[in-house]
Amino acid sequence: MNNSFQDAVVTKYNIFNSLFLSLPYRGIFQTGSLLPILTQQSEIGFQEGKSPREIIEHFFSELLETATPKERADLLFAFIQYIERQVVLFDSVEDAAFDQTHDLTGKGSVNYLTDRLDNDELRKKLLTKLEDFSVRIVLTAHPTQFYSGKVLGIINDLEDAIKENDFTEVNQLLLQLGKTAFINHEKPTPFDEAVSLCWFLENVYYDAIPSILEKLINGLGMSVHDWPYPNVYRLGFWPGGDRDGNPFVNPEITLQVAARLRETLLRGYYRDLRQLKRRLTFKGVDEAISLAERKMNSTIFGPFEEGYNSAQELIDEFLKAREVLVSKHQGLFVELLDNFILKLNIFGFFFASLDVRQDSRKHGKAWEDILKRLEKKIPLLKYSDYESWDEAKKIDLLLSLNIPLRDEDYEDELTKDILGSIRAIKTIQGNNGEKGAHRYVISNNTSALNVMQVVALAKNLIADESGKLALDVVPLFETVDDLANAPEIMRTLYENEFYRNHVQNRENHQTIMVGFSDGTKDGGYLRANWSIYRAKEELTKVSREFGIKVTFFDGRGGPPARGGGNNHNFYSSLGTDIEDKEIQLTVQGQTISSNYGTVTTAMYNLERLFTAGLENHLFRGNRVEDELSGDDKVLIEEMAALAYDSYLDLKNHPMFVKYLDKKTPLRFYGQTNIGSRPTKRGNDDEGLKFEDLRAIPFVGSWAQMKQNVPGFYGFGTAIEQMGNDGKKEEIKQLYKKSLFFRTLIENSMQSLSKAFFPATKYLRDEVDYKEFWDKMYNEFLLTRDQLLEVSGQKELLDSNNVTKVSIKTRERIVLPLITIQQYALQMLAEDPKNLPVDVETYNQLIMRAMFGIINAARNSA
């Protein structure tokens, strides 16, 4: 669809882009006229080996020689603002043309799936599978996207105007865009983040998910009324519940966010009820709708005792009204009522399940506080003795305790927060239903004790009278070592009688989260992805051994370096040795707005996640691609080990942390006010430590430098070394036959496609960094060449022309931003006394350029 993308997106963007020049804002014509010249001079300058400083200074000396330093800086800021809005325009044009550049009913769609069910056996197989299969999308507030809710609304309207080729409306919206601030002047609170993401729940998912199910139901020849699988799609939510490293999340915030989720959903129901009221005007039915409208109003605004306590109450009322509608009014408009009931079954009164997450080390600290307090009451129990015990003995003690845990008994704020957050889960379940909050995720999970610390706390805080816990405890394994140890950790848990009984009470179901982001930061792209694959195989094996249904929850991010890329191919490629009863993944930042930002794009990507999870089960016999054989796995393991060694060699380089700290925009992430969390763990006065770096600023800094190291480093070295051992042909064959390996390579190609090393070549002139820069650049060239050879492609992403052209266009739009940002970084290396403008101006240029660079780099996969 390369030509259609060129015509429907690139050409159309260029036409609408010209409207910017006619906007009645001071200086915009000059800005818009000079910007293409800077773009051209950047392209030529980098080709000639010039530094960003040389490019910018040449630009000014040639075109604005008499401009003062302040006037020059002001123009650079104007360029940044202009480009930010160009990126928004390109996003809108691309989204508006989505149905022209993507086959909405082709491979991976629900229609494509149901059309292939050409016999009763396949149809029955699908229906049986749907009894315990689901897709759960979990929205997180991780700061990888910079559009405020105001800008998102404009993008949404701009897309509609562009679809209609309404130049007048587009012009008006561009006027609005010119006056609308793109950045937050203060850091958002966790509640602010939740409100922003509720926009997507309300404006996208609320309509997209029921629409997909209606397509599926119709394709299967069933009726919405009789549909028994409302949980095929589920939504999760992290803002307000994720307190890992975020001191601004507390129990009060958690409860406020849960209430906001409920209120957002109920307002949607209320709007739908008013529409129903306009159609269901028949005797015996209109009364039920009017009553529901009044009660829903009370449910939202009060008096609450006159409203609904649960979604099931409303469903029961509507089912009675439906009987009257069918028996006395020929079922007129019954499909409207059925569709409303379908929404109630999907979203309940909670909309999205609010997960709570905390770091395992925090739970250890809380138990230290609790046990030291107990020690004062029971002198025989000494915390110093507890510390020396083995894991099994510690677990036995924690589970044996039946103690009141009251906030007022503790002075430590961390202990109070952990106790309060677990209690909040119970409160939310009372207000929103159990599905409203039923998972506790433990990050940095390194042992069975980490899990049992949470279980023991919950047992004393929220267990029912019989001792049962309405809580799924979810360990998160991220580092290479933790992934390797995960199977034995789960075996220890499954062998524990208390925990085994708990899992049985949770429908014999265990959710395990694996994190791509920190895994990649820790072990590099190939090692992390392969470690996760093998861990899933071993975790599936041990769970099946104990008769437990395991679900893998993937902490996947936006770019491939954080587990992103083509999710459909990733999930389609998993073999029978990995449990596939559910697909669960986090989506965040620009991935939400690009892949799930409109009803059309959300339906497209959600459908493909759904069908990807069914491919292995339904059509295994028809697969063109082979599953990985034992020899294949040995081959990938050897590659992963070599890539890991190569990445460790870079990570252990004496300049690695210093480079990130001194030469990249990493230190500016905390000033962007895009997220409520600090950009690193630990104390600021301790200096920068690699282990304290959060994965998002870590990966994001490499992306800002257009180096994208975490998305490819070591891959080329591994292939080359194996080629030297005569295994290159085996790797080429593996690429042809394995969708999993092909997806790894092509997602890594995205990282390579978005890299641009000429922008930072000036760092070779600095003695401290020459060798380090050369090391990264040589691996980039090697990986690019090796991946092209293995794949047989002439250019990166030849297999996906839409993505290739989209990336090329976006990279050209932001090239001046990259030049400006690197120019400012270069200037900051000078003596402040010799700078033409103050240091803060360069700091602001760097920070402001970050917004457009990140927003333009959204994944099209």
Side-chain angles (χ1 to χ4, degrees), residues 522-809:
D522 180 53
Y525 175 75
L526 186 57
R527 176 75 275 173
N529 277 273
W530 185 239
S531 292
I532 287 169
Y533 188 98
R534 294 310 306 268
K536 284 183 174 182
E537 284 191 324
E538 293 302 313
L539 288 165
T540 297
K541 184 177 178 181
V542 73
S543 298
R544 287 174 177 173
E545 180 186 331
F546 284 87
I548 292 169
K549 184 184 86 169
V550 66
T551 292
F552 294 111
F553 176 22
D554 292 320
R556 298 177 71 83
R562 294 188 40 248
N566 193 316
N567 286 330
H568 172 236
N569 282 346
F570 173 81
Y571 286 110
S572 294
S573 70
L574 302 181
T576 55
D577 292 335
I578 293 177
E579 199 66 80
D580 63 351
K581 292 184 184 297
E582 294 185 38
I583 286 178
Q584 294 191 15
L585 70 157
T586 57
V587 290
Q588 55 210 34
Q590 75 271 40
T591 309
I592 298 174
S593 58
S594 62
N595 288 10
Y596 305 94
T598 68
V599 173
T600 302
T601 57
M603 288 182 66
Y604 178 87
N605 287 293
L606 287 170
E607 285 184 39
R608 276 146 188 80
L609 281 177
F610 171 72
T611 60
L614 300 171
E615 282 290 322
N616 289 329
H617 183 75
L618 294 174
F619 305 112
R620 188 172 293 120
N622 301 330
R623 286 180 62 144
V624 177
E625 299 88 2
D626 296 332
E627 289 190 18
L628 293 173
S629 66
D631 289 342
D632 295 334
K633 292 175 183 178
V634 170
L635 191 70
I636 299 177
E637 178 58 45
E638 187 177 346
M639 259 188 287
L642 291 169
Y644 185 39
D645 288 343
S646 176
Y647 179 74
L648 286 181
D649 182 55
L650 180 75
K651 196 172 81 169
N652 294 330
H653 192 283
M655 287 296 108
F656 189 90
V657 174
K658 183 180 178 183
Y659 180 82
L660 281 169
D661 191 23
K662 304 297 184 185
K663 294 299 174 182
T664 79
L666 176 70
R667 60 192 185 276
F668 295 95
Y669 262 83
Q671 301 173 39
T672 56
N673 293 333
I674 57 167
S676 64
R677 292 199 306 179
T679 56
K680 73 181 188 74
R681 299 177 175 91
N683 298 320
D684 289 336
D685 55 3
E686 292 177 353
L688 185 66
K689 297 178 183 176
F690 178 82
E691 58 270 22
D692 288 338
L693 281 173
R694 287 199 171 278
I696 290 166
F698 174 76
V699 173
S701 296
W702 293 114
Q704 293 284 318
M705 297 293 284
K706 307 310 292 180
Q707 292 169 332
N708 294 335
V709 162
F712 71 82
Y713 201 91
F715 212 159
T717 292
I719 295 174
E720 181 186 53
Q721 289 183 18
M722 293 185 71
N724 294 339
D725 293 338
K727 296 179 181 178
K728 181 68 70 66
E729 200 56 40
E730 289 179 56
I731 296 173
K732 290 181 181 179
Q733 290 303 313
L734 181 64
Y735 175 84
K736 289 178 181 177
K737 75 173 187 175
S738 167
L739 180 59
F740 173 77
F741 187 62
R742 194 156 62 248
T743 302
L744 279 184
I745 282 187
E746 294 184 3
N747 283 344
S748 189
M749 282 183 173
Q750 284 198 34
S751 294
L752 294 167
S753 295
K754 295 175 184 178
F756 186 65
F757 275 82
T760 55
K761 191 177 179 180
Y762 68 90
L763 289 167
R764 295 189 78 250
D765 296 333
E766 298 189 28
V767 175
D768 284 354
Y769 301 107
K770 181 181 185 302
E771 182 203 343
F772 186 71
W773 190 93
D774 284 345
K775 194 177 186 67
M776 293 186 291
Y777 183 53
N778 290 335
E779 183 65 28
F780 164 79
L781 294 175
L782 179 63
T783 302
R784 182 194 64 189
D785 294 344
Q786 293 293 327
L787 296 192
L788 286 174
E789 182 185 351
V790 166
S791 67
Q793 298 179 39
K794 292 182 180 179
E795 283 189 10
L796 295 171
L797 298 176
D798 271 350
S799 60
N800 189 340
N801 272 318
V802 168
T803 299
K804 181 173 80 170
V805 177
S806 176
I807 288 174
K808 281 186 175 180
T809 308

Side-chain angles (χ1 to χ4, degrees), residues 39-307:
T39 301
Q40 187 178 43
Q41 290 196 359
S42 295
E43 289 174 329
I44 295 170
F46 286 130
Q47 285 174 9
E48 294 175 348
K50 291 182 178 177
S51 72
R53 180 175 179 176
E54 288 172 327
I55 292 169
I56 294 292
E57 289 180 349
H58 172 72
F59 169 80
F60 282 124
S61 65
E62 189 174 79
L63 297 168
L64 295 162
E65 188 176 5
T66 61
T68 66
K70 183 180 184 308
E71 288 170 338
R72 294 182 177 195
D74 287 345
L75 181 61
L76 294 179
F77 280 114
F79 283 154
I80 290 171
Q81 292 176 315
Y82 196 99
I83 295 168
E84 283 175 340
R85 285 149 181 82
Q86 285 183 312
V87 172
V88 167
L89 178 62
F90 190 82
D91 285 348
S92 301
V93 174
E94 191 171 49
D95 288 344
F98 194 85
D99 57 351
Q100 298 172 59
T101 57
H102 294 75
D103 188 356
L104 301 186
T105 59
K107 186 178 180 182
S109 68
V110 164
N111 288 344
Y112 185 79
L113 172 73
T114 54
D115 286 347
R116 294 166 73 194
L117 302 175
D118 51 11
N119 60 64
D120 287 341
E121 184 180 346
L122 270 177
R123 190 174 181 277
K124 287 178 183 176
K125 199 173 181 181
L126 172 64
L127 294 177
T128 301
K129 177 73 173 176
L130 292 180
E131 290 176 4
D132 63 354
F133 175 79
S134 69
V135 172
R136 185 193 292 239
I137 296 290
V138 180
L139 306 186
T140 78
H142 294 333
T144 59
Q145 207 261 10
F146 299 83
Y147 293 145
S148 65
K150 293 177 289 188
V151 176
L152 287 171
I154 297 172
I155 292 174
N156 193 58
D157 295 340
L158 198 52
E159 179 195 340
D160 292 337
I162 290 168
K163 278 183 180 177
E164 300 298 323
N165 289 318
D166 188 340
F167 280 79
T168 302
E169 181 67 12
V170 170
N171 195 61
Q172 287 292 108
L173 291 166
L174 292 180
L175 275 166
Q176 183 185 359
L177 206 58
K179 289 285 188 181
T180 303
F182 271 48
I183 62 173
N184 299 313
H185 294 292
E186 296 179 354
K187 270 187 177 291
T189 67
F191 185 74
D192 293 334
E193 292 171 332
V195 170
S196 295
L197 287 185
C198 281
W199 187 93
F200 290 100
L201 294 178
E202 183 177 10
N203 293 285
V204 178
Y205 292 93
Y206 183 75
D207 293 317
I209 290 176
S211 295
I212 295 171
L213 288 183
E214 287 165 31
K215 285 172 63 175
L216 177 62
I217 292 164
N218 292 334
L220 292 170
M222 300 174 69
S223 72
V224 173
H225 176 62
D226 296 323
W227 182 247
Y229 315 113
N231 291 323
V232 168
Y233 283 102
R234 292 182 291 173
L235 295 171
F237 207 75
W238 272 19
D242 179 11
R243 59 234 316 121
D244 175 17
N246 191 336
F248 307 110
V249 177
N250 56 46
E252 183 181 354
I253 289 287
T254 302
L255 293 172
Q256 287 175 357
V257 170
R260 183 58 178 248
L261 286 168
R262 185 174 188 267
E263 180 186 328
T264 302
L265 175 63
L266 296 184
R267 287 175 183 271
Y269 287 160
Y270 186 73
R271 288 192 295 270
D272 283 357
L273 280 169
R274 292 180 69 85
Q275 290 299 315
L276 272 177
K277 190 177 179 182
R278 297 177 65 176
R279 292 290 172 266
L280 300 181
T281 54
F282 321 123
K283 185 177 180 181
V285 180
D286 60 341
E287 296 92 335
I289 305 300
S290 295
L291 176 64
E293 182 190 14
R294 290 195 302 273
K295 290 178 71 173
M296 184 58 68
N297 188 72
S298 295
T299 307
I300 300 170
F301 303 108
F304 302 112
E305 62 275 9
E306 295 178 14

